[in-house]
């Protein structure tokens, strides 16, 4: 018995001798590999740390264990403990870490009335609900008052008994064209206005404080037009103080604040008023344009000294007998002239230009 007499050549530390009739065989112990004469420790492959996770236990030797854990805000999907097996493979693949949606699971501390829970990777945020405003670390129910004028786009006179809607609320303008909404939550609304004999109009109004009449909630209405009549309505906001509307009439006459009427035969082009302050409008009306066939070119000039279209928030609306047919918002650029569109009274159509120029 070579094994008992230790006359074998098996690995004494990590192997075993197995006697047989007239001979013997050598084998390696568990977690070792080789021919039994020489045995080497089995190692598993290096593990990759999971995204948003950690590994505890750095050994890859057979029999060693590794603990998989996840960072705060993430949950483990898979085995928490894996072991290096005698065949050189791990008992399982490395688990993954997935974001915990604290909002859907109710694992947040947002106030259910004033705040909305918004999930983020590994965490969450509490955002103020509609109608609430952040003050420090809390959200409070803050409301404002919104007032404005409803005016005739051409005459600038008050439009009384106009129906004005802000979001899902509505009211009626007074005899001086004023409307008021109280207890308005801070957000952005669509403001609609309509009145008998006028085309309806709308605009967006951002409410972040009280809005007084004569500022950002003012709205104009254009009277219904007869066939062959066009009306151009220029409106602008807080900046600049003064924009001017121009119309070049076939034959060379130009309507502007310098010359507010061009009469050619039975055709007339008229500027309503030269507005020179913020939150204003100017309108130009073409009457019986067919009597003076040709191209009518409209443009806008920034009159305020030092101002350009870089920060101007202006809109030009074009109306005919069918209602509003075009709305153009001013482009941004370091120029003082804005060519908007051309009207052909030959074909009764318009062509958009919408380009800035320096002169």
């Amino acid at each position: 018995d070579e094994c008992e007499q230790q006359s074998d050549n098996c690995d004494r530390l990590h192997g075993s001798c197995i006697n047989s009739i007239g001979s013997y065989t050598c084998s390696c112990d568990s977690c070792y590999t080789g021919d039994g004469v020489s045995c080497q420790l089995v190692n598993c492959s290096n593990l990759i740390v999971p995204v948003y996770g950690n590994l505890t236990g750095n050994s890859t030797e057979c029999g060693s264990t590794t603990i998989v854990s996840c960072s705060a805000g993430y949950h483990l999907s898979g085995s928490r403990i894996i072991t290096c097996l005698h065949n050189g493979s791990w008992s399982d693949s490395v688990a993954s870490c997935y974001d915990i949606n604290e909002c859907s699971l109710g694992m947040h501390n947002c106030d259910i009335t004033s705040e909305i829970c918004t999930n983020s990777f590994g965490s969450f945020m509490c955002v103020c609900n509609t109608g609430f405003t952040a003050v420090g670390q809390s959200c409070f129910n803050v409301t404002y008052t919104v007032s404005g004028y409803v005016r005739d786009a051409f005459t600038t006179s008050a439009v009384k008994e106009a129906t004005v809607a802000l979001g899902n609320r509505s009211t009626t303008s007074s005899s001086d064209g004023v409307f008021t909404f109280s207890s308005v939550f801070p957000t952005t609304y669509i403001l609609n206005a309509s009145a008998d004999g006028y085309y309806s109009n709308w605009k967006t109004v951002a409410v972040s404080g009280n809005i007084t009449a004569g500022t950002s909630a003012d709205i104009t209405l254009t009277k219904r037009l007869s066939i062959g009549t066009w009306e151009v309505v220029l409106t602008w906001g807080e900046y600049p103080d003064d924009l001017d509307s121009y119309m070049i009439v076939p034959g060379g006459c130009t309507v502007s604040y310098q010359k507010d009427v061009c009469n050619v035969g039975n055709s007339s082009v008229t500027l309503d008023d030269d507005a020179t302050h913020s939150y204003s409008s100017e309108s130009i009306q073409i009457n019986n344009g067919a009597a003076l066939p040709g191209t009518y070119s409209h443009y806008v000039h920034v009159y305020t000294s030092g101002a350009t279209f870089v920060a101007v928030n202006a809109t030009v609306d074009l109306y005919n007998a069918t209602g509003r047919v075009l709305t153009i918002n001013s482009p941004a650029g370091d120029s003082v002239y804005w060519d908007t569109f051309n009207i052909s009274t030959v074909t009764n159509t318009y062509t958009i230009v919408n380009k800035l120029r320096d002169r």
Side-chain angles (χ1 to χ4, degrees):
D1 186 336
E2 296 87 352
C3 297
E4 184 176 346
Q5 296 177 2
Q6 295 188 353
S7 59
D8 62 273
N9 61 349
C10 297
D11 189 316
R12 299 292 182 199
L13 294 176
H14 307 300
S16 300
C17 177
I18 303 173
N19 187 59
S20 61
I21 297 176
S23 185
Y24 65 92
T25 57
C26 297
S27 64
C28 292
D29 295 340
S30 178
C31 281
Y32 288 84
T33 184
D35 57 4
V37 177
S38 177
C39 298
Q40 293 80 38
L41 180 65
V42 172
N43 276 276
C44 292
S45 60
N46 291 324
L47 297 173
I48 299 176
V49 179
V51 179
Y52 305 117
N54 301 283
L55 297 178
T56 302
N58 297 322
S59 177
T60 60
E61 295 179 353
C62 177
S64 64
T65 59
T66 296
I67 299 174
V68 186
S69 60
C70 293
S71 302
Y74 295 84
H75 70 87
L76 190 72
S77 177
S79 299
R80 180 175 175 272
I81 300 176
I82 55 177
T83 303
C84 180
L85 304 178
H86 63 86
N87 62 358
S89 65
W90 290 97
S91 60
D92 205 344
S93 58
V94 177
S96 299
C97 294
Y98 292 94
D99 174 53
I100 297 173
N101 190 327
E102 294 88 351
C103 299
S104 62
L105 296 174
M107 300 170 60
H108 61 85
N109 59 354
C110 301
D111 182 83
I112 60 174
T113 300
S114 63
E115 297 173 328
I116 298 174
C117 180
T118 302
N119 188 60
S120 60
F121 285 108
S123 186
F124 64 93
M125 296 183 296
C126 298
V127 181
C128 290
N129 206 343
T130 301
F132 292 83
T133 299
V135 180
Q137 299 298 314
S138 302
C139 297
F140 292 92
N141 188 345
V142 177
T143 62
Y144 300 103
T145 298
V146 175
S147 297
Y149 287 109
V150 182
R151 298 188 187 277
D152 185 294
F154 190 69
T155 67
T156 70
S157 60
V159 178
K160 63 180 180 179
E161 297 182 357
T163 299
V164 183
L166 185 70
N168 59 1
R169 301 168 61 188
S170 64
T171 188
T172 303
S173 62
S174 63
S175 59
D176 55 0
V178 174
F179 63 87
T180 298
F181 293 93
S182 58
S183 302
V184 178
F185 293 126
T187 188
T188 299
Y189 296 89
I190 299 295
L191 178 73
N192 289 277
S194 59
D196 291 341
Y198 289 86
Y199 300 112
S200 60
N201 193 12
W202 65 271
K203 64 186 296 185
T204 58
V205 176
V207 179
S208 58
N210 292 324
I211 298 177
T212 58
T215 59
S216 59
D218 290 4
I219 192 166
T220 61
L221 294 180
T222 296
K223 280 188 176 179
R224 296 188 177 276
L225 305 173
S226 60
I227 296 175
T229 300
W230 297 80
E231 187 166 330
V232 182
V233 182
L234 165 67
T235 57
W236 65 94
E238 183 178 6
Y239 178 86
D241 293 331
D242 193 359
L243 293 181
D244 288 317
S245 190
Y246 288 75
M247 183 71 76
I248 302 174
V249 179
C253 182
T254 299
V255 170
S256 69
Y257 72 96
Q258 297 166 314
K259 182 179 175 65
D260 59 7
V261 179
C262 284
N263 292 312
V264 183
N266 293 326
S267 176
S268 66
V269 181
T270 307
L271 172 70
D272 64 333
D273 182 49
D274 177 28
T276 59
H277 55 85
S278 301
Y279 301 108
S280 294
S281 66
E282 291 185 4
S283 295
I284 293 177
Q285 197 171 96
I286 302 172
N287 289 289
N288 196 20
L292 183 60
T295 299
Y296 295 70
S297 299
H298 180 262
Y299 67 91
V300 178
H301 176 229
V302 180
Y303 184 84
T304 301
S305 177
T308 68
F309 276 100
V310 167
V312 172
N313 181 21
T315 300
V316 170
D317 294 307
L318 177 63
Y319 293 83
N320 63 15
T322 63
R324 179 163 52 185
V325 294
L326 178 65
T327 296
I328 306 178
N329 296 314
S330 58
D334 192 21
S335 301
V336 295
Y337 288 95
W338 171 29
D339 293 323
T340 57
F341 52 79
N342 299 323
I343 299 173
S344 171
T345 56
V346 177
T347 59
N348 204 38
T349 58
Y350 62 87
T351 302
I352 298 173
V353 179
N354 197 27
K355 291 183 179 179
L356 297 177
R357 57 183 170 88
D358 292 329
R359 60 179 63 188

